[in-house]
Amino acid sequence: MTYLGATPVLVDSEPDTWNIDPELLEKTIVDRKAKTGKYPKAIVPVALYGMPYKADRIMEIANKYGIPVVEDAAEGFGSRYKGQMLGTFGKYGVLSFNGNKMITTSGGGALITEDEEHWREIMMYATQYRESYPYYQHEKIGYNYRMSNICAGIGRGQMTVVNDHLAHHKHVQKMYEELLKDVKGITVHSQPNNGDYDSNYWLCTITIDEDVKIKGQEDAYKTIVTGAVGGAAGVIHAAESAHTDCEPNANVEAMRVALDKAQIEARPVWKPMHKQPCYKDVPAYVNGVSEALFKVGMCLPAGPYVSDDDVRYIVDTIKANIIG
Ligand SMILES: *Cc1c(COP(=O)(O)O)cnc(C)c1O
């Protein structure tokens, strides 16, 4: 969106799914119209950690105001809401096949749409807008975004294991739920239990109450982390400070470090977009939910190579680092 010169308008999360809050979405639409005279050009719900958003409410609001929906189902491949696959509710659905997603083509993704005319136009843009001449003829400026045949071949291979992966992620989630259910102050984030949700549990997440004491918590954030998430090809920007103005609680950071020492890669949950310095000036409609979640949330390993023994080891390590 930003690449295209559009201004993102950020809408905060709801507590049960952690996804876009439909009520706040509608307030945002009404307020944008009042402030700018225009409705937003698109609504982009994100299936955070694979959890379905309230697709029916979002579509209802989108249709009421005539705004197209582009589903960011990058993390939600195979998740369903009321039985329907994510990515098939909106005008467009987007999937990611990045290396860390439910299936991978090493990089790239897929666009889902039922609109054949738009699909044709999109494919033109994805392939440098090349017209059918013996030489390169470009009527418009396109992009070089098509998937290579090698990546597509990997993706076709991955399609044969997608059901195994989905079953595995749900199994790992069940194990975390079971093994952590009696641990005071730790809550496994689970889908609402009303039959509407079928999350792929791409990532399993927990929250750690602020009053849970974790070993080494006094020393959390004492040293500047180098390269926990950032960096590519060995290039990193050295952080100026161990702190930012919005960060996980010290006990969550202490737990991350403790797990890291035990060879377990855990991460904070995604930082709210309105707290990213690059988006400090964009309009944000907040309710405190995403910021509160960022302080207490943590992602646990859930990928295809995480065995039952691994889950038990992870849970035992979590328990061993709780002081009280
Ligand atoms: C991974 C991801 C993307 C980006 O997908 P890429 O294929 O890496 O470009 C977008 N949105 C969400 C929610 C994601 O998790």
Side-chain angles (χ1 to χ4, degrees), residues 46-48 72-75 95-98 100-101 107-109 202 270:
V46 178
L48 199 64
D72 180 345
E75 300 174 7
L95 302 173
S96 169
F97 303 140
N98 189 37
N100 62 347
K101 299 299 158 80
W202 170 65
W270 305 164

Short mmCIF file of all heavy atoms in Angstrom, two decimals, residues 46-48 72-75 95-98 100-101 107-109 202 270, ligand 1:
data_model
loop_
_atom_site.label_atom_id
_atom_site.label_comp_id
_atom_site.label_asym_id
_atom_site.label_seq_id
_atom_site.Cartn_x
_atom_site.Cartn_y
_atom_site.Cartn_z
N VAL A 46 -6.36 -9.23 8.36
CA VAL A 46 -5.21 -10.13 8.44
C VAL A 46 -5.55 -11.29 9.37
O VAL A 46 -6.04 -11.07 10.48
CB VAL A 46 -3.97 -9.38 9.00
CG1 VAL A 46 -2.78 -10.33 9.13
CG2 VAL A 46 -3.62 -8.18 8.13
N ALA A 47 -5.29 -12.50 8.92
CA ALA A 47 -5.52 -13.69 9.77
C ALA A 47 -4.27 -13.91 10.62
O ALA A 47 -3.37 -14.65 10.24
CB ALA A 47 -5.82 -14.92 8.91
N LEU A 48 -4.25 -13.26 11.77
CA LEU A 48 -3.05 -13.28 12.60
C LEU A 48 -2.79 -14.69 13.17
O LEU A 48 -3.66 -15.26 13.82
CB LEU A 48 -3.22 -12.27 13.73
CG LEU A 48 -1.95 -11.82 14.42
CD1 LEU A 48 -1.03 -11.07 13.47
CD2 LEU A 48 -2.27 -10.95 15.62
N ASP A 72 -5.76 -10.57 3.68
CA ASP A 72 -4.38 -10.99 3.89
C ASP A 72 -4.43 -12.30 4.67
O ASP A 72 -4.43 -12.33 5.90
CB ASP A 72 -3.59 -9.93 4.66
CG ASP A 72 -2.15 -10.35 4.88
OD1 ASP A 72 -1.85 -11.55 4.69
OD2 ASP A 72 -1.33 -9.50 5.26
N ALA A 73 -4.52 -13.38 3.88
CA ALA A 73 -4.57 -14.72 4.49
C ALA A 73 -3.19 -15.38 4.41
O ALA A 73 -3.08 -16.61 4.39
CB ALA A 73 -5.63 -15.57 3.79
N ALA A 74 -2.14 -14.54 4.37
CA ALA A 74 -0.76 -15.04 4.26
C ALA A 74 -0.47 -16.10 5.30
O ALA A 74 0.18 -17.11 5.02
CB ALA A 74 0.23 -13.88 4.40
N GLU A 75 -0.96 -15.88 6.52
CA GLU A 75 -0.70 -16.82 7.61
C GLU A 75 -1.85 -17.81 7.76
O GLU A 75 -1.77 -18.73 8.56
CB GLU A 75 -0.52 -16.04 8.93
CG GLU A 75 0.64 -15.07 8.85
CD GLU A 75 0.78 -14.17 10.08
OE1 GLU A 75 0.06 -14.37 11.07
OE2 GLU A 75 1.64 -13.26 10.03
N LEU A 95 -2.27 -15.13 -0.36
CA LEU A 95 -1.56 -16.15 0.42
C LEU A 95 -0.07 -15.91 0.27
O LEU A 95 0.38 -15.42 -0.76
CB LEU A 95 -1.87 -17.55 -0.11
CG LEU A 95 -3.34 -17.98 -0.14
CD1 LEU A 95 -3.46 -19.33 -0.85
CD2 LEU A 95 -3.91 -18.05 1.27
N SER A 96 0.69 -16.28 1.29
CA SER A 96 2.15 -16.22 1.19
C SER A 96 2.72 -17.62 1.23
O SER A 96 2.29 -18.46 2.03
CB SER A 96 2.73 -15.41 2.35
OG SER A 96 4.14 -15.57 2.38
N PHE A 97 3.70 -17.86 0.36
CA PHE A 97 4.45 -19.12 0.38
C PHE A 97 5.90 -18.84 0.75
O PHE A 97 6.83 -19.48 0.26
CB PHE A 97 4.35 -19.83 -0.97
CG PHE A 97 2.94 -20.12 -1.42
CD1 PHE A 97 2.58 -19.95 -2.75
CD2 PHE A 97 1.98 -20.56 -0.52
CE1 PHE A 97 1.29 -20.21 -3.18
CE2 PHE A 97 0.67 -20.83 -0.93
CZ PHE A 97 0.33 -20.65 -2.27
N ASN A 98 6.10 -17.83 1.58
CA ASN A 98 7.43 -17.54 2.14
C ASN A 98 7.92 -18.77 2.92
O ASN A 98 7.14 -19.64 3.27
CB ASN A 98 7.30 -16.30 3.04
CG ASN A 98 8.65 -15.78 3.50
OD1 ASN A 98 9.62 -15.81 2.73
ND2 ASN A 98 8.73 -15.33 4.72
N ASN A 100 8.60 -19.46 5.87
CA ASN A 100 8.10 -19.78 7.22
C ASN A 100 6.59 -20.05 7.23
O ASN A 100 6.01 -20.22 8.29
CB ASN A 100 8.42 -18.64 8.18
CG ASN A 100 7.75 -17.34 7.78
OD1 ASN A 100 7.24 -17.21 6.67
ND2 ASN A 100 7.74 -16.38 8.68
N LYS A 101 5.94 -20.06 6.08
CA LYS A 101 4.48 -20.17 6.08
C LYS A 101 4.01 -21.62 6.06
O LYS A 101 4.81 -22.54 6.10
CB LYS A 101 3.90 -19.36 4.92
CG LYS A 101 4.24 -17.87 4.99
CD LYS A 101 3.70 -17.17 6.23
CE LYS A 101 4.43 -15.90 6.56
NZ LYS A 101 4.06 -14.74 5.81
N GLY A 107 9.81 -18.52 -1.82
CA GLY A 107 9.32 -17.13 -1.76
C GLY A 107 8.15 -17.01 -2.70
O GLY A 107 7.96 -17.86 -3.57
N GLY A 108 7.38 -15.97 -2.53
CA GLY A 108 6.22 -15.75 -3.40
C GLY A 108 4.92 -16.08 -2.70
O GLY A 108 4.90 -16.32 -1.49
N GLY A 109 3.88 -16.10 -3.48
CA GLY A 109 2.57 -16.34 -2.89
C GLY A 109 1.53 -16.51 -3.98
O GLY A 109 1.87 -16.80 -5.13
N TRP A 202 -1.10 -21.68 12.53
CA TRP A 202 0.22 -21.54 11.89
C TRP A 202 1.29 -21.25 12.95
O TRP A 202 2.35 -21.86 12.93
CB TRP A 202 0.17 -20.40 10.86
CG TRP A 202 1.50 -20.05 10.34
CD1 TRP A 202 2.32 -20.85 9.58
CD2 TRP A 202 2.20 -18.82 10.52
NE1 TRP A 202 3.48 -20.18 9.29
CE2 TRP A 202 3.44 -18.95 9.85
CE3 TRP A 202 1.90 -17.63 11.19
CZ2 TRP A 202 4.37 -17.91 9.84
CZ3 TRP A 202 2.82 -16.62 11.16
CH2 TRP A 202 4.04 -16.76 10.49
N TRP A 270 3.69 -10.14 17.11
CA TRP A 270 4.01 -9.01 16.20
C TRP A 270 3.75 -7.68 16.90
O TRP A 270 2.73 -7.48 17.55
CB TRP A 270 3.19 -9.06 14.92
CG TRP A 270 3.22 -10.31 14.08
CD1 TRP A 270 2.32 -10.60 13.09
CD2 TRP A 270 4.16 -11.40 14.08
NE1 TRP A 270 2.64 -11.81 12.52
CE2 TRP A 270 3.76 -12.32 13.11
CE3 TRP A 270 5.29 -11.71 14.83
CZ2 TRP A 270 4.45 -13.51 12.86
CZ3 TRP A 270 5.98 -12.90 14.60
CH2 TRP A 270 5.55 -13.77 13.61
C1 LIG B 1 4.31 -13.30 5.60
C2 LIG B 1 3.23 -12.32 5.60
C3 LIG B 1 3.09 -11.42 4.55
C4 LIG B 1 4.09 -11.29 3.46
O1 LIG B 1 4.22 -12.40 2.68
P1 LIG B 1 5.52 -12.51 1.76
O2 LIG B 1 5.22 -13.69 0.91
O3 LIG B 1 6.67 -12.74 2.69
O4 LIG B 1 5.62 -11.24 1.01
C5 LIG B 1 2.03 -10.53 4.56
N1 LIG B 1 1.15 -10.53 5.57
C6 LIG B 1 1.25 -11.38 6.61
C7 LIG B 1 0.22 -11.33 7.67
C8 LIG B 1 2.30 -12.29 6.66
O5 LIG B 1 2.42 -13.11 7.69
#
